Amino acid sequence: MNILGIETSCDDTSISIVSDGKKILTLLSLSQNDAHKAYQGVVPEIASREHLKVIYSLTEKAISNSKIPISQISAVAVTTFPGLIGSLVVGLNFAKGLAYRYNKPIIPINHLIAHFYSNFFENDIKFPFIGLLISGGHTALFKFDSFEDYTILGKTIDDSCGEAFDKVAKHFDLGYPGGPIIDNLAKDGNSNAYNFPLALADIKKYGLNFSFSGLKTAVIHFRKKYKTNQNKDEKLEDILASFQNAVAKTLVLKTMKALEKTGIKRLVISGGAAANSEIRKSFMILKNNGIEIYFPPLNLCSDNGAMVAGLAYHLFEKNLLNKAEFLSLDAKSRMVEMKRNSLIT
Ligand code: KG4
Ligand code: ZN
């Protein structure tokens, strides 16, 4: 069964056709980095306009690249939440038009759950597993019993992991998106040069929740202080490597606790920041404790249509909407369980 996946929840327009939830027949993505660069962050209004400019031609190209005639596509899967509302609306309405014209059903997809699916193309992963999502919009720990049956064990109460990378990079004037830039520069730095705080490390008090806003502020102020003192010994790369180290340590600490608490020995990591080299290295320590660990392939860490089409294959029977139902389908910017200003206890 071939499913066409559409992903436009943030600043990547991505279209894919996946066969039987496993084989990626085509995956075409356009990043909007250049459009947002001047603002060093995603501007929602610009994001929706950029999606609108390219979605039609990108889909046309993806279908022709796949060599699959439209008649052999069984459904259109589309991210409907959470994300930037204007961007989601572009993807959803395009999906509606396509499905209406070609008489296909639509499968609405939760972007956060789809991220985990990026691990399933190359691996047959069994349930249950602990899922750690580290993206630009979200950071959370899940317990998955199936793709539809999951519990959120902890989440960030302020900035997400990727957001902390982006904001530190912005303050240091390094460019956007900050994650890959910091990852690169930190390779020439000493990750133990400075000891930045590990936020909410007290698990008894804060559970499996995360906070990256304090760490971000600590790093920014640290840099400012050194700049004013004109300390010639200070190396930007050391600060960035130490920051990255603090992020990785926090993630490992909370994830280890989640595995310990649930007794689950399988871990699946997903989201844009799963591409980070220090985070990948730090998690390898869990392998010595007999934990099965999965990271997505580097090209599927960030937002992509393949994860949408792949997950849809498993939700096909229960979540499929026909013409009469999908026309009234709405996009949602939030997932209520992910509300940031509260702890999960
Ligand atoms: O998953 P994603 O593409 O979009 C959301 O769903 O939010 O994640 C984008 C985030 C950005 O914050 C970006 O800076 C971060 O992923 N990112 C990284 C790396 N590559 C991308 N963060 C740390 N290290 C990286 N190598
Ligand atoms: Zn994402």
Side-chain angles (χ1 to χ4, degrees):
M1 179 196 293
N2 303 311
I3 297 182
L4 182 128
I6 300 178
E7 160 60 45
T8 63
S9 67
C10 188
D11 59 343
D12 295 284
T13 319
S14 184
I15 310 289
S16 179
I17 298 173
V18 174
S19 161
D20 293 340
K22 212 57 187 176
K23 192 162 182 234
I24 303 174
L25 302 178
T26 183
L27 171 58
L28 293 183
S29 302
L30 283 175
S31 130
Q32 302 178 353
N33 287 349
D34 286 345
H36 300 285
K37 213 175 231 161
Y39 309 94
Q40 298 195 44
V42 178
V43 182
E45 180 58 26
I46 294 178
S48 29
R49 286 170 194 267
E50 291 294 311
H51 287 302
L52 201 55
K53 270 192 218 162
V54 300
I55 195 162
Y56 183 91
S57 56
L58 198 66
T59 307
E60 218 176 20
K61 207 161 148 197
I63 294 173
S64 103
N65 278 5
S66 74
K67 311 250 183 312
I68 297 280
I70 281 234
S71 59
Q72 282 177 34
I73 291 175
S74 303
V76 177
V78 58
T79 303
T80 54
F81 80 109
L84 299 175
I85 192 67
S87 295
L88 290 166
V89 162
V90 173
L92 174 59
N93 282 302
F94 181 75
K96 284 183 185 179
L98 194 70
Y100 193 89
R101 162 70 180 81
Y102 291 102
N103 207 15
K104 310 282 177 197
I106 283 188
I107 304 166
I109 293 294
N110 176 330
H111 179 72
L112 309 190
I113 309 308
H115 262 300
F116 287 98
Y117 201 82
S118 290
N119 287 279
F120 282 74
F121 294 104
E122 291 183 358
N123 303 290
D124 292 314
I125 305 172
K126 294 198 176 69
F127 291 94
F129 63 80
I130 293 297
L132 171 67
L133 173 67
I134 39 178
S135 70
H138 298 86
T139 294
L141 273 163
F142 294 74
K143 174 178 174 280
F144 276 93
D145 290 301
S146 76
F147 287 122
E148 289 159 291
D149 184 7
Y150 50 81
T151 320
I152 300 165
L153 304 175
K155 63 179 167 72
T156 185
I157 60 162
D158 41 54
D159 288 349
S160 77
C161 172
E163 198 175 351
F165 275 92
D166 294 337
K167 287 180 176 170
V168 165
K170 181 173 179 171
H171 275 270
F172 290 7
D173 242 342
L174 301 175
Y176 174 83
I181 298 170
I182 291 181
D183 195 355
N184 247 330
L185 288 169
K187 289 193 173 105
D188 297 323
N190 171 6
S191 59
N192 292 311
Y194 307 108
N195 255 331
F196 290 121
L198 302 190
L200 310 193
D202 184 345
I203 291 179
K204 274 205 188 104
K205 205 162 158 191
Y206 302 110
L208 299 175
N209 299 288
F210 300 95
S211 160
F212 292 102
S213 163
L215 170 63
K216 167 199 72 187
T217 309
V219 172
I220 292 166
H221 281 290
F222 186 83
R223 172 79 166 154
K224 268 193 200 147
K225 195 176 89 190
Y226 269 80
K227 262 192 170 169
T228 5
N229 291 347
Q230 303 239 309
N231 186 328
K232 298 271 187 300
D233 294 333
E234 181 237 6
K235 218 175 119 193
L236 172 71
E237 288 81 354
D238 286 346
I239 300 180
L240 298 177
S242 303
F243 157 70
Q244 205 172 246
N245 184 22
V247 173
K249 271 192 185 147
T250 309
L251 295 172
V252 171
L253 176 85
K254 298 279 173 163
T255 306
M256 272 172 106
K257 198 68 196 173
L259 292 158
E260 205 180 293
K261 258 182 144 174
T262 55
I264 294 174
K265 296 215 168 286
R266 200 170 293 118
L267 172 64
V268 180
I269 302 178
S270 71
N276 186 272
S277 54
E278 179 72 22
I279 294 176
R280 285 187 174 230
K281 205 168 74 196
S282 303
F283 269 99
M284 286 309 130
I285 195 178
L286 297 188
K287 275 203 165 164
N288 305 334
N289 301 0
I291 305 295
E292 206 177 305
I293 306 180
Y294 299 94
F295 273 96
L298 286 177
N299 67 323
L300 298 181
C301 286
S302 53
D303 297 347
N304 64 83
M307 66 190 196
V308 176
L311 176 61
Y313 174 74
H314 298 270
L315 306 180
F316 193 81
E317 262 148 49
K318 276 198 230 156
N319 292 34
L320 178 141
L321 301 175
N322 289 310
K323 207 183 266 179
E325 301 156 324
F326 73 59
L327 287 177
S328 56
L329 184 63
D330 270 337
K332 273 194 309 184
S333 60
R334 287 182 202 288
M335 181 170 164
V336 269
E337 300 91 319
M338 286 291 172
K339 202 168 165 219
R340 293 215 183 167
N341 57 1
S342 62
L343 296 174
I344 290 181
T345 47

PDB file of all heavy atoms in Angstrom, residues 309-341:
ATOM      1  N   ALA A 309       3.914   9.655   6.238  1.00  0.00           N
ATOM      2  CA  ALA A 309       3.346   8.575   5.420  1.00  0.00           C
ATOM      3  C   ALA A 309       3.568   7.218   6.083  1.00  0.00           C
ATOM      4  O   ALA A 309       2.709   6.328   6.016  1.00  0.00           O
ATOM      5  CB  ALA A 309       3.989   8.599   4.036  1.00  0.00           C
ATOM      6  N   GLY A 310       4.719   7.044   6.727  1.00  0.00           N
ATOM      7  CA  GLY A 310       5.057   5.763   7.368  1.00  0.00           C
ATOM      8  C   GLY A 310       4.133   5.462   8.536  1.00  0.00           C
ATOM      9  O   GLY A 310       3.570   4.365   8.651  1.00  0.00           O
ATOM     10  N   LEU A 311       3.936   6.455   9.403  1.00  0.00           N
ATOM     11  CA  LEU A 311       3.049   6.253  10.554  1.00  0.00           C
ATOM     12  C   LEU A 311       1.612   5.999  10.082  1.00  0.00           C
ATOM     13  O   LEU A 311       0.895   5.154  10.639  1.00  0.00           O
ATOM     14  CB  LEU A 311       3.113   7.475  11.484  1.00  0.00           C
ATOM     15  CG  LEU A 311       2.166   7.466  12.680  1.00  0.00           C
ATOM     16  CD1 LEU A 311       2.455   6.272  13.606  1.00  0.00           C
ATOM     17  CD2 LEU A 311       2.276   8.765  13.483  1.00  0.00           C
ATOM     18  N   ALA A 312       1.217   6.716   9.039  1.00  0.00           N
ATOM     19  CA  ALA A 312      -0.159   6.594   8.533  1.00  0.00           C
ATOM     20  C   ALA A 312      -0.498   5.163   8.130  1.00  0.00           C
ATOM     21  O   ALA A 312      -1.634   4.712   8.277  1.00  0.00           O
ATOM     22  CB  ALA A 312      -0.358   7.530   7.345  1.00  0.00           C
ATOM     23  N   TYR A 313       0.496   4.431   7.654  1.00  0.00           N
ATOM     24  CA  TYR A 313       0.261   3.038   7.245  1.00  0.00           C
ATOM     25  C   TYR A 313      -0.267   2.228   8.433  1.00  0.00           C
ATOM     26  O   TYR A 313      -1.145   1.379   8.276  1.00  0.00           O
ATOM     27  CB  TYR A 313       1.584   2.453   6.732  1.00  0.00           C
ATOM     28  CG  TYR A 313       1.514   0.981   6.410  1.00  0.00           C
ATOM     29  CD1 TYR A 313       0.865   0.534   5.266  1.00  0.00           C
ATOM     30  CD2 TYR A 313       2.101   0.035   7.249  1.00  0.00           C
ATOM     31  CE1 TYR A 313       0.796  -0.822   4.959  1.00  0.00           C
ATOM     32  CE2 TYR A 313       2.045  -1.317   6.956  1.00  0.00           C
ATOM     33  CZ  TYR A 313       1.384  -1.737   5.812  1.00  0.00           C
ATOM     34  OH  TYR A 313       1.313  -3.080   5.511  1.00  0.00           O
ATOM     35  N   HIS A 314       0.243   2.522   9.632  1.00  0.00           N
ATOM     36  CA  HIS A 314      -0.169   1.770  10.828  1.00  0.00           C
ATOM     37  C   HIS A 314      -1.485   2.277  11.420  1.00  0.00           C
ATOM     38  O   HIS A 314      -2.079   1.628  12.266  1.00  0.00           O
ATOM     39  CB  HIS A 314       0.936   1.829  11.890  1.00  0.00           C
ATOM     40  CG  HIS A 314       2.192   1.187  11.404  1.00  0.00           C
ATOM     41  ND1 HIS A 314       2.460  -0.142  11.593  1.00  0.00           N
ATOM     42  CD2 HIS A 314       3.225   1.690  10.683  1.00  0.00           C
ATOM     43  CE1 HIS A 314       3.614  -0.439  11.015  1.00  0.00           C
ATOM     44  NE2 HIS A 314       4.099   0.654  10.468  1.00  0.00           N
ATOM     45  N   LEU A 315      -1.896   3.470  11.004  1.00  0.00           N
ATOM     46  CA  LEU A 315      -3.140   4.033  11.547  1.00  0.00           C
ATOM     47  C   LEU A 315      -4.258   3.929  10.518  1.00  0.00           C
ATOM     48  O   LEU A 315      -5.371   4.419  10.738  1.00  0.00           O
ATOM     49  CB  LEU A 315      -2.927   5.512  11.928  1.00  0.00           C
ATOM     50  CG  LEU A 315      -1.764   5.806  12.879  1.00  0.00           C
ATOM     51  CD1 LEU A 315      -1.670   7.300  13.154  1.00  0.00           C
ATOM     52  CD2 LEU A 315      -1.942   5.061  14.203  1.00  0.00           C
ATOM     53  N   PHE A 316      -3.942   3.316   9.395  1.00  0.00           N
ATOM     54  CA  PHE A 316      -4.829   3.335   8.238  1.00  0.00           C
ATOM     55  C   PHE A 316      -6.275   2.986   8.564  1.00  0.00           C
ATOM     56  O   PHE A 316      -7.190   3.766   8.319  1.00  0.00           O
ATOM     57  CB  PHE A 316      -4.286   2.382   7.156  1.00  0.00           C
ATOM     58  CG  PHE A 316      -4.949   2.576   5.829  1.00  0.00           C
ATOM     59  CD1 PHE A 316      -4.544   3.594   4.982  1.00  0.00           C
ATOM     60  CD2 PHE A 316      -5.978   1.758   5.422  1.00  0.00           C
ATOM     61  CE1 PHE A 316      -5.152   3.801   3.753  1.00  0.00           C
ATOM     62  CE2 PHE A 316      -6.597   1.955   4.190  1.00  0.00           C
ATOM     63  CZ  PHE A 316      -6.179   2.973   3.365  1.00  0.00           C
ATOM     64  N   GLU A 317      -6.453   1.817   9.180  1.00  0.00           N
ATOM     65  CA  GLU A 317      -7.827   1.359   9.353  1.00  0.00           C
ATOM     66  C   GLU A 317      -8.666   2.228  10.283  1.00  0.00           C
ATOM     67  O   GLU A 317      -9.784   2.589   9.979  1.00  0.00           O
ATOM     68  CB  GLU A 317      -7.836  -0.092   9.802  1.00  0.00           C
ATOM     69  CG  GLU A 317      -8.081  -0.956   8.581  1.00  0.00           C
ATOM     70  CD  GLU A 317      -7.415  -2.278   8.629  1.00  0.00           C
ATOM     71  OE1 GLU A 317      -7.559  -2.941   9.661  1.00  0.00           O
ATOM     72  OE2 GLU A 317      -6.760  -2.621   7.636  1.00  0.00           O
ATOM     73  N   LYS A 318      -8.065   2.604  11.437  1.00  0.00           N
ATOM     74  CA  LYS A 318      -8.857   3.329  12.436  1.00  0.00           C
ATOM     75  C   LYS A 318      -8.986   4.823  12.157  1.00  0.00           C
ATOM     76  O   LYS A 318      -9.968   5.444  12.525  1.00  0.00           O
ATOM     77  CB  LYS A 318      -8.213   3.139  13.815  1.00  0.00           C
ATOM     78  CG  LYS A 318      -8.648   1.842  14.457  1.00  0.00           C
ATOM     79  CD  LYS A 318      -8.364   1.880  15.942  1.00  0.00           C
ATOM     80  CE  LYS A 318      -7.611   0.626  16.330  1.00  0.00           C
ATOM     81  NZ  LYS A 318      -6.833   0.764  17.523  1.00  0.00           N
ATOM     82  N   ASN A 319      -7.951   5.415  11.548  1.00  0.00           N
ATOM     83  CA  ASN A 319      -7.929   6.880  11.478  1.00  0.00           C
ATOM     84  C   ASN A 319      -8.314   7.475  10.135  1.00  0.00           C
ATOM     85  O   ASN A 319      -8.280   8.676   9.949  1.00  0.00           O
ATOM     86  CB  ASN A 319      -6.533   7.397  11.847  1.00  0.00           C
ATOM     87  CG  ASN A 319      -6.235   7.142  13.300  1.00  0.00           C
ATOM     88  OD1 ASN A 319      -6.679   6.140  13.841  1.00  0.00           O
ATOM     89  ND2 ASN A 319      -5.510   8.025  13.931  1.00  0.00           N
ATOM     90  N   LEU A 320      -8.657   6.622   9.217  1.00  0.00           N
ATOM     91  CA  LEU A 320      -8.925   7.087   7.858  1.00  0.00           C
ATOM     92  C   LEU A 320     -10.235   7.897   7.759  1.00  0.00           C
ATOM     93  O   LEU A 320     -11.255   7.516   8.323  1.00  0.00           O
ATOM     94  CB  LEU A 320      -8.980   5.817   7.021  1.00  0.00           C
ATOM     95  CG  LEU A 320      -9.282   5.835   5.573  1.00  0.00           C
ATOM     96  CD1 LEU A 320      -8.390   4.792   4.927  1.00  0.00           C
ATOM     97  CD2 LEU A 320     -10.712   5.475   5.364  1.00  0.00           C
ATOM     98  N   LEU A 321     -10.166   9.030   7.074  1.00  0.00           N
ATOM     99  CA  LEU A 321     -11.366   9.867   6.906  1.00  0.00           C
ATOM    100  C   LEU A 321     -11.740   9.942   5.432  1.00  0.00           C
ATOM    101  O   LEU A 321     -10.887  10.222   4.580  1.00  0.00           O
ATOM    102  CB  LEU A 321     -11.106  11.286   7.406  1.00  0.00           C
ATOM    103  CG  LEU A 321     -10.683  11.437   8.873  1.00  0.00           C
ATOM    104  CD1 LEU A 321     -10.352  12.889   9.167  1.00  0.00           C
ATOM    105  CD2 LEU A 321     -11.791  10.952   9.801  1.00  0.00           C
ATOM    106  N   ASN A 322     -12.991   9.707   5.149  1.00  0.00           N
ATOM    107  CA  ASN A 322     -13.466   9.802   3.768  1.00  0.00           C
ATOM    108  C   ASN A 322     -13.951  11.213   3.470  1.00  0.00           C
ATOM    109  O   ASN A 322     -14.031  12.052   4.362  1.00  0.00           O
ATOM    110  CB  ASN A 322     -14.535   8.752   3.511  1.00  0.00           C
ATOM    111  CG  ASN A 322     -13.875   7.382   3.470  1.00  0.00           C
ATOM    112  OD1 ASN A 322     -12.878   7.195   2.769  1.00  0.00           O
ATOM    113  ND2 ASN A 322     -14.375   6.449   4.262  1.00  0.00           N
ATOM    114  N   LYS A 323     -14.267  11.438   2.202  1.00  0.00           N
ATOM    115  CA  LYS A 323     -14.589  12.785   1.720  1.00  0.00           C
ATOM    116  C   LYS A 323     -15.542  13.550   2.645  1.00  0.00           C
ATOM    117  O   LYS A 323     -15.274  14.685   3.028  1.00  0.00           O
ATOM    118  CB  LYS A 323     -15.172  12.677   0.319  1.00  0.00           C
ATOM    119  CG  LYS A 323     -14.946  13.912  -0.508  1.00  0.00           C
ATOM    120  CD  LYS A 323     -15.599  13.773  -1.848  1.00  0.00           C
ATOM    121  CE  LYS A 323     -14.658  13.254  -2.912  1.00  0.00           C
ATOM    122  NZ  LYS A 323     -15.332  13.095  -4.209  1.00  0.00           N
ATOM    123  N   ALA A 324     -16.616  12.911   3.023  1.00  0.00           N
ATOM    124  CA  ALA A 324     -17.617  13.607   3.828  1.00  0.00           C
ATOM    125  C   ALA A 324     -17.038  14.034   5.178  1.00  0.00           C
ATOM    126  O   ALA A 324     -17.419  15.058   5.732  1.00  0.00           O
ATOM    127  CB  ALA A 324     -18.814  12.689   4.051  1.00  0.00           C
ATOM    128  N   GLU A 325     -16.075  13.263   5.686  1.00  0.00           N
ATOM    129  CA  GLU A 325     -15.506  13.574   7.005  1.00  0.00           C
ATOM    130  C   GLU A 325     -14.320  14.536   6.911  1.00  0.00           C
ATOM    131  O   GLU A 325     -14.171  15.441   7.727  1.00  0.00           O
ATOM    132  CB  GLU A 325     -15.020  12.274   7.676  1.00  0.00           C
ATOM    133  CG  GLU A 325     -16.118  11.255   7.870  1.00  0.00           C
ATOM    134  CD  GLU A 325     -15.592   9.831   7.978  1.00  0.00           C
ATOM    135  OE1 GLU A 325     -14.608   9.482   7.303  1.00  0.00           O
ATOM    136  OE2 GLU A 325     -16.183   9.068   8.755  1.00  0.00           O
ATOM    137  N   PHE A 326     -13.452  14.359   5.915  1.00  0.00           N
ATOM    138  CA  PHE A 326     -12.214  15.145   5.953  1.00  0.00           C
ATOM    139  C   PHE A 326     -12.406  16.614   5.594  1.00  0.00           C
ATOM    140  O   PHE A 326     -11.594  17.455   5.940  1.00  0.00           O
ATOM    141  CB  PHE A 326     -11.085  14.480   5.164  1.00  0.00           C
ATOM    142  CG  PHE A 326     -11.154  14.500   3.654  1.00  0.00           C
ATOM    143  CD1 PHE A 326     -11.214  15.690   2.942  1.00  0.00           C
ATOM    144  CD2 PHE A 326     -11.078  13.304   2.947  1.00  0.00           C
ATOM    145  CE1 PHE A 326     -11.224  15.693   1.557  1.00  0.00           C
ATOM    146  CE2 PHE A 326     -11.088  13.299   1.549  1.00  0.00           C
ATOM    147  CZ  PHE A 326     -11.168  14.502   0.865  1.00  0.00           C
ATOM    148  N   LEU A 327     -13.495  16.945   4.918  1.00  0.00           N
ATOM    149  CA  LEU A 327     -13.672  18.342   4.539  1.00  0.00           C
ATOM    150  C   LEU A 327     -13.806  19.256   5.756  1.00  0.00           C
ATOM    151  O   LEU A 327     -13.449  20.420   5.719  1.00  0.00           O
ATOM    152  CB  LEU A 327     -14.878  18.504   3.602  1.00  0.00           C
ATOM    153  CG  LEU A 327     -14.630  17.989   2.187  1.00  0.00           C
ATOM    154  CD1 LEU A 327     -15.882  18.102   1.344  1.00  0.00           C
ATOM    155  CD2 LEU A 327     -13.469  18.721   1.507  1.00  0.00           C
ATOM    156  N   SER A 328     -14.290  18.702   6.870  1.00  0.00           N
ATOM    157  CA  SER A 328     -14.437  19.546   8.069  1.00  0.00           C
ATOM    158  C   SER A 328     -13.262  19.376   9.042  1.00  0.00           C
ATOM    159  O   SER A 328     -13.289  19.885  10.161  1.00  0.00           O
ATOM    160  CB  SER A 328     -15.747  19.206   8.778  1.00  0.00           C
ATOM    161  OG  SER A 328     -15.771  17.829   9.062  1.00  0.00           O
ATOM    162  N   LEU A 329     -12.238  18.677   8.612  1.00  0.00           N
ATOM    163  CA  LEU A 329     -11.067  18.463   9.473  1.00  0.00           C
ATOM    164  C   LEU A 329     -10.322  19.783   9.708  1.00  0.00           C
ATOM    165  O   LEU A 329     -10.129  20.558   8.773  1.00  0.00           O
ATOM    166  CB  LEU A 329     -10.150  17.454   8.759  1.00  0.00           C
ATOM    167  CG  LEU A 329      -8.897  16.968   9.474  1.00  0.00           C
ATOM    168  CD1 LEU A 329      -9.270  16.213  10.749  1.00  0.00           C
ATOM    169  CD2 LEU A 329      -8.103  16.040   8.539  1.00  0.00           C
ATOM    170  N   ASP A 330      -9.901  20.028  10.958  1.00  0.00           N
ATOM    171  CA  ASP A 330      -9.189  21.261  11.292  1.00  0.00           C
ATOM    172  C   ASP A 330      -7.760  20.985  11.733  1.00  0.00           C
ATOM    173  O   ASP A 330      -7.485  19.927  12.290  1.00  0.00           O
ATOM    174  CB  ASP A 330      -9.891  21.967  12.458  1.00  0.00           C
ATOM    175  CG  ASP A 330     -10.951  22.925  11.964  1.00  0.00           C
ATOM    176  OD1 ASP A 330     -10.859  23.359  10.797  1.00  0.00           O
ATOM    177  OD2 ASP A 330     -11.882  23.211  12.749  1.00  0.00           O
ATOM    178  N   ALA A 331      -6.899  21.976  11.533  1.00  0.00           N
ATOM    179  CA  ALA A 331      -5.540  21.899  12.078  1.00  0.00           C
ATOM    180  C   ALA A 331      -5.577  22.458  13.501  1.00  0.00           C
ATOM    181  O   ALA A 331      -6.450  23.278  13.820  1.00  0.00           O
ATOM    182  CB  ALA A 331      -4.604  22.713  11.208  1.00  0.00           C
ATOM    183  N   LYS A 332      -4.646  21.994  14.348  1.00  0.00           N
ATOM    184  CA  LYS A 332      -4.576  22.494  15.729  1.00  0.00           C
ATOM    185  C   LYS A 332      -3.133  22.871  16.019  1.00  0.00           C
ATOM    186  O   LYS A 332      -2.231  22.090  15.709  1.00  0.00           O
ATOM    187  CB  LYS A 332      -4.961  21.365  16.716  1.00  0.00           C
ATOM    188  CG  LYS A 332      -6.426  21.239  16.999  1.00  0.00           C
ATOM    189  CD  LYS A 332      -6.658  20.350  18.230  1.00  0.00           C
ATOM    190  CE  LYS A 332      -5.929  19.033  18.169  1.00  0.00           C
ATOM    191  NZ  LYS A 332      -6.178  18.123  19.269  1.00  0.00           N
ATOM    192  N   SER A 333      -2.935  24.034  16.619  1.00  0.00           N
ATOM    193  CA  SER A 333      -1.544  24.426  16.878  1.00  0.00           C
ATOM    194  C   SER A 333      -0.954  23.663  18.055  1.00  0.00           C
ATOM    195  O   SER A 333       0.238  23.399  18.100  1.00  0.00           O
ATOM    196  CB  SER A 333      -1.453  25.926  17.115  1.00  0.00           C
ATOM    197  OG  SER A 333      -2.236  26.266  18.229  1.00  0.00           O
ATOM    198  N   ARG A 334      -1.776  23.298  19.025  1.00  0.00           N
ATOM    199  CA  ARG A 334      -1.229  22.693  20.245  1.00  0.00           C
ATOM    200  C   ARG A 334      -1.696  21.277  20.504  1.00  0.00           C
ATOM    201  O   ARG A 334      -2.765  20.872  20.057  1.00  0.00           O
ATOM    202  CB  ARG A 334      -1.678  23.512  21.464  1.00  0.00           C
ATOM    203  CG  ARG A 334      -0.977  24.803  21.558  1.00  0.00           C
ATOM    204  CD  ARG A 334      -1.398  25.570  22.800  1.00  0.00           C
ATOM    205  NE  ARG A 334      -1.128  26.977  22.611  1.00  0.00           N
ATOM    206  CZ  ARG A 334       0.095  27.493  22.607  1.00  0.00           C
ATOM    207  NH1 ARG A 334       1.128  26.736  22.816  1.00  0.00           N
ATOM    208  NH2 ARG A 334       0.264  28.775  22.394  1.00  0.00           N
ATOM    209  N   MET A 335      -0.900  20.607  21.331  1.00  0.00           N
ATOM    210  CA  MET A 335      -1.328  19.340  21.900  1.00  0.00           C
ATOM    211  C   MET A 335      -1.418  19.662  23.396  1.00  0.00           C
ATOM    212  O   MET A 335      -0.391  19.968  24.023  1.00  0.00           O
ATOM    213  CB  MET A 335      -0.252  18.286  21.619  1.00  0.00           C
ATOM    214  CG  MET A 335      -0.552  16.920  22.126  1.00  0.00           C
ATOM    215  SD  MET A 335       0.678  15.765  21.434  1.00  0.00           S
ATOM    216  CE  MET A 335       0.436  14.382  22.508  1.00  0.00           C
ATOM    217  N   VAL A 336      -2.609  19.633  23.946  1.00  0.00           N
ATOM    218  CA  VAL A 336      -2.813  20.147  25.311  1.00  0.00           C
ATOM    219  C   VAL A 336      -1.874  19.534  26.353  1.00  0.00           C
ATOM    220  O   VAL A 336      -1.381  20.225  27.239  1.00  0.00           O
ATOM    221  CB  VAL A 336      -4.262  19.957  25.824  1.00  0.00           C
ATOM    222  CG1 VAL A 336      -5.103  21.148  25.514  1.00  0.00           C
ATOM    223  CG2 VAL A 336      -4.899  18.688  25.298  1.00  0.00           C
ATOM    224  N   GLU A 337      -1.589  18.261  26.203  1.00  0.00           N
ATOM    225  CA  GLU A 337      -0.722  17.584  27.183  1.00  0.00           C
ATOM    226  C   GLU A 337       0.678  18.192  27.215  1.00  0.00           C
ATOM    227  O   GLU A 337       1.443  17.933  28.130  1.00  0.00           O
ATOM    228  CB  GLU A 337      -0.582  16.090  26.857  1.00  0.00           C
ATOM    229  CG  GLU A 337      -1.864  15.304  26.846  1.00  0.00           C
ATOM    230  CD  GLU A 337      -2.519  15.250  25.460  1.00  0.00           C
ATOM    231  OE1 GLU A 337      -2.534  16.278  24.749  1.00  0.00           O
ATOM    232  OE2 GLU A 337      -3.020  14.176  25.097  1.00  0.00           O
ATOM    233  N   MET A 338       1.024  18.950  26.192  1.00  0.00           N
ATOM    234  CA  MET A 338       2.381  19.487  26.086  1.00  0.00           C
ATOM    235  C   MET A 338       2.485  20.919  26.626  1.00  0.00           C
ATOM    236  O   MET A 338       3.521  21.561  26.465  1.00  0.00           O
ATOM    237  CB  MET A 338       2.823  19.493  24.618  1.00  0.00           C
ATOM    238  CG  MET A 338       3.149  18.136  24.113  1.00  0.00           C
ATOM    239  SD  MET A 338       4.656  17.537  24.910  1.00  0.00           S
ATOM    240  CE  MET A 338       4.636  15.878  24.295  1.00  0.00           C
ATOM    241  N   LYS A 339       1.428  21.419  27.230  1.00  0.00           N
ATOM    242  CA  LYS A 339       1.421  22.778  27.770  1.00  0.00           C
ATOM    243  C   LYS A 339       2.685  22.992  28.605  1.00  0.00           C
ATOM    244  O   LYS A 339       3.040  22.144  29.430  1.00  0.00           O
ATOM    245  CB  LYS A 339       0.168  22.945  28.632  1.00  0.00           C
ATOM    246  CG  LYS A 339      -0.232  24.346  28.808  1.00  0.00           C
ATOM    247  CD  LYS A 339      -1.628  24.439  29.408  1.00  0.00           C
ATOM    248  CE  LYS A 339      -1.831  25.835  29.904  1.00  0.00           C
ATOM    249  NZ  LYS A 339      -2.558  25.870  31.160  1.00  0.00           N
ATOM    250  N   ARG A 340       3.333  24.143  28.402  1.00  0.00           N
ATOM    251  CA  ARG A 340       4.681  24.268  28.936  1.00  0.00           C
ATOM    252  C   ARG A 340       4.816  24.691  30.391  1.00  0.00           C
ATOM    253  O   ARG A 340       5.835  24.436  31.005  1.00  0.00           O
ATOM    254  CB  ARG A 340       5.452  25.262  28.083  1.00  0.00           C
ATOM    255  CG  ARG A 340       5.663  24.713  26.702  1.00  0.00           C
ATOM    256  CD  ARG A 340       6.977  25.163  26.188  1.00  0.00           C
ATOM    257  NE  ARG A 340       7.158  24.684  24.833  1.00  0.00           N
ATOM    258  CZ  ARG A 340       8.101  25.123  24.029  1.00  0.00           C
ATOM    259  NH1 ARG A 340       8.913  26.070  24.440  1.00  0.00           N
ATOM    260  NH2 ARG A 340       8.234  24.635  22.827  1.00  0.00           N
ATOM    261  N   ASN A 341       3.823  25.401  30.930  1.00  0.00           N
ATOM    262  CA  ASN A 341       4.080  25.970  32.258  1.00  0.00           C
ATOM    263  C   ASN A 341       3.637  25.083  33.411  1.00  0.00           C
ATOM    264  O   ASN A 341       3.256  25.557  34.461  1.00  0.00           O
ATOM    265  CB  ASN A 341       3.457  27.368  32.377  1.00  0.00           C
ATOM    266  CG  ASN A 341       1.977  27.324  32.095  1.00  0.00           C
ATOM    267  OD1 ASN A 341       1.437  26.234  31.835  1.00  0.00           O
ATOM    268  ND2 ASN A 341       1.315  28.455  32.133  1.00  0.00           N
TER     269      ASN A 341
END
